[in-house]
Amino acid sequence: MKQPLIAGNWKMNGSRKSAIDLIASILTEAYQFPKIEMAVFPPFVYLSQTEELLTGSGVNWGAQNASPHKNGAYTGEISLEMLKDFNCKYVLVGHSERRRQFGDSPVIVAEKFAAAMRAGFTPVLCVGETEEQHDRGLTWQVIQEQLEVVFELKDNHSSLRDIVIAYEPVWAIGTGKSASPEEAQEVHLAIRNRLGEYDWEIASKIRIIYGGSVTPENIADLMAMPDIDGALVGGASLDAKKFLEIGRKCNSLY
Ligand code: PGA
């Protein structure tokens, strides 16, 4: 069975003090959830404190973004090599906020994904449709296109084993309006089936997590779905009590 992943995407929130406090609070209880994996994605500038506090705790961490370039004249960017210095396990790739607000095109997303794989990280590839696409019945077409661009760049699909896919409907992010468990399950299953066309064994093992207004109230129903293997939590991950409650509920289901 796949170990569920409960990941907290902090986005551009907090301060050095609040980041340290949040991690310290998570650590008071996270060790009691052995059946799941928990991870946090703090802003880059708090990765040092994150590494210091989480090393050896069983809670993992990652970066919210990374440059596909090795080094050079890319003002303001952070390379994967730099992230290695902080022992990040994961890198978020293609979050809808990056795609929509920072011009991360499908090609750039694919390059970041490939670079993260090459550098030995586990990329968390985010895909999801906008409200308009959803209402026009284009959900699967959009998701498929987002997956296709990334997988086309990969010549060795066996390396896809070490990835996580996050289905995050754009209309559900930060809106308090989560996709229904059944709706999310349908997309997760379609993603798994698509991966299965490359390799069924890999597809059955890959974790496909859901993101978009996940809360302690809806996590159990989401996790009851056979193809939902965890959650990428935004807003609720900034509140240690809520994040831990999500972890606790998820742990008790397995
Ligand atoms: P949310 O964000 O939980 O606040 O909706 C999820 C995400 O953007 O990863």
Side-chain angles (χ1 to χ4, degrees):
M1 196 198 281
K2 295 176 285 288
Q3 187 186 34
L5 172 64
I6 298 295
N9 174 12
W10 296 1
K11 310 192 180 185
M12 195 179 75
N13 288 298
S15 62
R16 179 159 58 182
K17 182 175 182 321
S18 72
I20 291 171
D21 290 349
L22 182 49
I23 292 174
S25 303
I26 291 170
L27 286 175
T28 59
E29 221 184 307
Y31 69 93
Q32 294 177 19
F33 312 148
K35 295 180 192 150
I36 64 165
E37 178 186 354
M38 293 190 92
V40 293
F41 291 79
F44 291 127
V45 289
Y46 306 131
L47 280 173
S48 171
Q49 289 85 355
T50 302
E51 181 194 17
E52 211 169 289
L53 291 164
L54 291 184
T55 299
S57 72
V59 177
N60 286 308
W61 61 97
Q64 297 174 17
N65 182 36
S67 168
H69 304 288
K70 274 205 153 62
N71 55 18
Y74 301 102
T75 301
E77 290 289 274
I78 303 287
S79 75
L80 288 153
E81 279 306 307
M82 293 168 185
L83 294 177
K84 275 192 188 162
D85 281 342
F86 300 99
N87 287 308
C88 294
K89 176 175 180 186
Y90 296 105
V91 182
L92 290 186
V93 178
H95 189 280
S96 65
E97 285 150 19
R98 298 288 327 166
R99 292 183 195 258
R100 283 148 41 94
Q101 299 176 51
F102 300 99
D104 280 14
S105 67
V107 172
I108 291 174
V109 170
E111 283 171 5
K112 288 184 174 184
F113 180 89
M117 297 274 293
R118 272 197 308 274
F121 292 87
T122 300
V124 178
L125 174 66
C126 304
V127 295
E129 82 287 3
T130 63
E131 182 150 44
E132 196 219 331
Q133 290 162 336
H134 178 259
D135 293 348
R136 287 172 58 205
L138 298 174
T139 299
W140 179 238
Q141 189 183 318
V142 171
I143 308 293
Q144 201 173 7
E145 278 166 18
Q146 289 173 343
L147 292 174
E148 247 29 63
V149 186
V150 167
F151 297 152
E152 259 167 33
L153 265 197
K154 303 245 19 89
D155 36 30
N156 179 9
H157 290 118
S158 64
S159 55
L160 289 178
R161 194 180 298 276
D162 300 316
I163 69 169
V164 174
I165 295 180
Y167 169 53
E168 298 206 302
V170 178
W171 49 270
I173 295 178
T175 58
K177 194 171 85 178
S178 165
S180 72
E182 294 75 21
E183 209 169 5
Q185 162 61 22
E186 196 179 319
V187 177
H188 283 229
L189 178 61
I191 293 172
R192 202 177 304 285
N193 285 338
R194 181 70 192 87
L195 289 167
E197 289 173 27
Y198 295 121
D199 186 321
W200 185 248
E201 201 214 324
I202 290 176
S204 62
K205 288 191 178 137
I206 278 178
R207 289 181 294 184
I208 305 174
I209 64 178
Y210 169 80
S213 297
V214 172
T215 63
E217 288 73 41
N218 61 20
I219 186 68
D221 289 342
L222 287 162
M223 292 303 295
M225 296 291 124
D227 289 287
I228 299 184
D229 308 314
L232 185 54
V233 188
S237 74
L238 295 169
D239 179 330
K241 260 177 86 177
K242 287 187 186 166
F243 191 54
L244 286 168
E245 202 177 332
I246 290 170
R248 195 180 314 123
K249 286 198 170 159
C250 190
N251 187 68
S252 67
L253 286 168
Y254 281 78

